[in-house]
Every structure is written in C-alpha cells, then in structure tokens.
Amino acid sequence: MTNTESQEMRHPPVFRKLHGLIMWSILLLVVTGFYIHYPFVDGQGFLMSLARGVHFLFAGVLTVAGLARFIMMFVGKNRDWKSFIPTLKDFALMPKLIAHYLHLCKEPELSKKYNPLQMTTYFMVFLFIIFQILSGLALLFPESFMAWFNYGIFGNEYTSRIWHYIITWIFVFILLIHLYLAIRQGRGNEAEDIKEMHSVNTADEKE
Ligand code: HEM
C-alpha cells in the first residue's frame, strides 16, 4: 500500500475537504474578528463593513462544515467518533507522548487514528467551535432568542463578547501548535504511519 493510499484511508477526501473549509473559515474569522475588536487599519468604515460581512459569511461556512463533519463522525463507512474520545488507556500514553514531542523518545504505539494529545485537542476544538457559534449568535441577536446566553449565562452581552474574543486567542494558540506538529509529522517515518493506520482501520471496520 503506498503512502498516498494510507493517507487516503486515514483522511478520506471528504474529511480533507471539510478540514480545509473549517481551517480557512477559522483563519478568516480570526483575522476579521481581530479587526472588529480593534480596527488595525483605518478603512473609513468600508473595511469594518467588509470585515463584518466576511465574518458572518464564514461564520455560516464554519457552522455548516462543522455540523457536516460532526455528523460524519457517527454516520457512514468513514465514521470515526472513537478517534475523538480519549479513554483512560489512551491517557496512560500521555507521558511517553510528551517525551516523544520533546524529542526524548520514539512515538509510542498507538491504537487509534490520533494520539491522545490530538484526540483531546480536536475534541476541545469542536467544543470551542460550538461556543463561538453560540456566542456569535448571541452577539448577533442579543435581546431575542439568544438572550438566555448573554443574560442567563454571562449576566450581560459585554461578557459574552469578551469570551468570544478570549476563545479567539485559544484558536490562534491551537492553530500555531497544530501547524508545527503537522509539518513535523509530515517529515515523520512513513512505515510506522502505515502500520499504525492499517491496524486502526481494521479495528474501526470491525465495529
Ligand atoms: C472560530 C470562530 C470565530 C472567531 C475566532 C471569532 C472572532 C471574533 C472576534 C475576535 C470578534 C470581536 C469581538 C470584540 O468586539 O471584541 C468577533 C465579533 C463577532 N463575531 Fe465572531 N468569531 C468566530 C465565530 C463567529 C460565529 C460562528 C459567529 C456567528 C454565528 C460570530 C459572530 C460575531 C459577531 C456578531 C461579532 C460582533 C460584531 C460587531 O461587534 O460588529 N463569530 N468575532
């Protein structure tokens, strides 16, 4: 099996496309969000309208792509929800995994598509996306059907806005680490990848 075939099975084309949509949406939401928070270029009001327009468009793209990916975790031949839920057995691998990321040892043998650090991060990313959608809707409709979010949970709209902003910085942090690890993994040893991927898929398909 070639490496391309193994990557295709590990990340089917539809998952790659959704990953691309989600990644570009978050990138554009971060940039336009920072501009809305603090207009770093004087755009005579035009840039602010453009930033808000792009923000709302990709808020929609992120919501649809995120929902599609969530559904495909549970439905279809590529369903992979187990790859996002770390178990105690997975967490037991954490110390060795962190040592591996610190270049102190080889990557520990994995029993799933992702390692426990990836599983935990991707699980949190889905929760943060859900929070950004809810808090974003609460900023769009503060007094109507999302009033429960602003006043019921945070007491006022301003605090929801601040949390919408704080989570943006968490996305920036995760994006930078994800990029570094993705580049580093790309240079990783293919043989191990194929072996790991092969054992994973047979397990999943037995489900
Ligand atoms: C990863 C996803 C997202 C990021 C990183 C993000 C980031 C931001 C940031 C940094 C701001 C400025 C907040 C401030 O004023 O301090 C903002 C404003 C806003 N965002 Fe988002 N956002 C995201 C998703 C969404 C979604 C899904 C929606 C809608 C459903 C949304 C709706 C809004 C609204 C309505 C505002 C206020 C606009 C204004 O004050 O004119 N955002 N966003």
Side-chain angles (χ1 to χ4, degrees):
M1 180 180 300
T2 66
N3 190 38
T4 320
E5 283 165 347
S6 70
Q7 288 299 331
E8 289 282 339
M9 279 175 80
R10 190 181 160 94
H11 303 297
V14 63
F15 286 2
R16 288 162 181 254
K17 292 205 172 50
L18 286 173
H19 178 273
L21 275 179
I22 292 170
M23 180 191 79
W24 284 111
S25 301
I26 293 177
L27 274 175
L28 285 164
L29 284 160
V30 167
V31 174
T32 55
F34 280 148
Y35 189 81
I36 293 167
H37 179 78
Y38 176 77
F40 40 82
V41 181
D42 177 12
Q44 313 284 330
F46 166 72
L47 274 184
M48 183 54 84
S49 324
L50 183 68
R52 295 183 78 233
V54 171
H55 200 80
F56 301 156
L57 171 67
F58 283 92
V61 173
L62 177 67
T63 307
V64 174
L67 195 60
R69 183 62 181 91
F70 185 73
I71 292 168
M72 287 182 192
M73 280 184 196
F74 302 95
V75 179
K77 69 177 175 58
N78 300 313
R79 61 190 178 279
D80 60 350
W81 61 270
K82 278 189 179 171
S83 302
F84 295 87
I85 313 283
T87 60
L88 284 180
K89 192 169 147 251
D90 298 318
F91 280 122
L93 286 173
M94 270 302 192
K96 239 186 160 190
L97 192 67
I98 291 167
H100 164 65
Y101 279 134
L102 296 171
H103 299 282
L104 300 173
C105 66
K106 276 185 73 172
E107 185 167 24
E109 191 73 28
L110 300 172
S111 62
K112 290 184 184 171
K113 179 157 82 171
Y114 302 125
N115 68 47
L117 212 56
Q118 288 169 313
M119 281 192 261
T120 315
T121 310
Y122 301 157
F123 183 75
M124 295 305 293
V125 165
F126 263 100
L127 293 185
F128 289 141
I129 289 175
I130 293 169
F131 181 84
Q132 289 299 72
I133 293 170
L134 290 176
S135 57
L137 286 171
L139 293 176
L140 265 176
F141 309 102
E143 307 297 335
S144 57
F145 74 100
M146 289 304 287
W148 62 272
F149 189 90
N150 289 328
Y151 304 102
I153 300 178
F154 293 103
N156 59 57
E157 186 196 337
Y158 183 70
T159 313
S160 311
R161 183 180 285 271
I162 285 295
W163 277 103
H164 194 74
Y165 176 67
I166 291 171
I167 302 293
T168 302
W169 278 106
I170 296 181
F171 271 111
V172 172
F173 185 65
I174 291 175
L175 274 172
L176 292 176
I177 293 190
H178 185 57
L179 205 59
Y180 160 70
L181 292 176
I183 293 167
R184 196 179 119 166
Q185 178 97 7
R187 289 208 209 99
N189 39 30
E190 288 169 12
E192 203 165 315
D193 233 10
I194 294 172
K195 199 167 89 260
E196 176 222 319
M197 183 277 314
H198 196 61
S199 61
V200 167
N201 272 296
T202 37
D204 278 354
E205 275 148 15
K206 279 205 202 81
E207 187 196 316

